[in-house]
Amino acid sequence: MAFDEPKFHAARKVSVGNQIRALLGEDLNRSPLMSSPSTSWDTLVWLGRQVDWNSEGSKLVQGQLGGIPQEIAVEIMDFAQKVEDFVDQLGMSSHILVIALAAYAVQGSSKWAARVYRGIVREYDQEEFERIALDLRYTR
């Protein structure tokens, strides 16, 4: 083949979402469910990004995990064990606390997550909840 002949290569089709993730430096070969966050706060942000707050928000406010992917529900329940110490301070179940924390962690980028967060926390001490969230965020 001569150097001046055009070469054609089959281009891999990449979705717009994958293009954006690639621009942000995310590894496209790894499933987002396989990524393992490094800290508790990272885990909450990661969980918050996995949830379809719009579709499942009203169920999540009630602690119902049936509408989200099983892997995410398992992660929520696993994380719930880590926050057992805070349950007595707030008087809410540990998995609802994790849902509220995940919603709180991503509320700036999801109005539906913000609604879930407010829907859960309005029944409890919001200042105490936010203190716990900040403790988790800045404890590494």
Side-chain angles (χ1 to χ4, degrees), residues 87-106:
V87 171
D88 291 337
Q89 294 174 33
L90 289 169
M92 68 174 68
S93 70
S94 57
H95 75 282
I96 290 180
L97 174 57
V98 173
I99 292 167
L101 287 166
Y104 178 80
V106 297

Side-chain angles (χ1 to χ4, degrees), residues 63-115:
Q64 298 173 7
L65 302 174
I68 61 175
Q70 182 177 354
E71 297 89 357
I72 302 306
V74 167
E75 289 288 335
I76 288 172
M77 295 309 291
D78 287 348
F79 198 89
Q81 294 173 359
K82 296 178 184 179
V83 296
E84 286 290 330
D85 295 339
F86 301 117
V87 171
D88 291 337
Q89 294 174 33
L90 289 169
M92 68 174 68
S93 70
S94 57
H95 75 282
I96 290 180
L97 174 57
V98 173
I99 292 167
L101 287 166
Y104 178 80
V106 297
Q107 70 178 334
S109 62
S110 169
K111 70 178 180 179
W112 296 101
R115 288 179 181 178

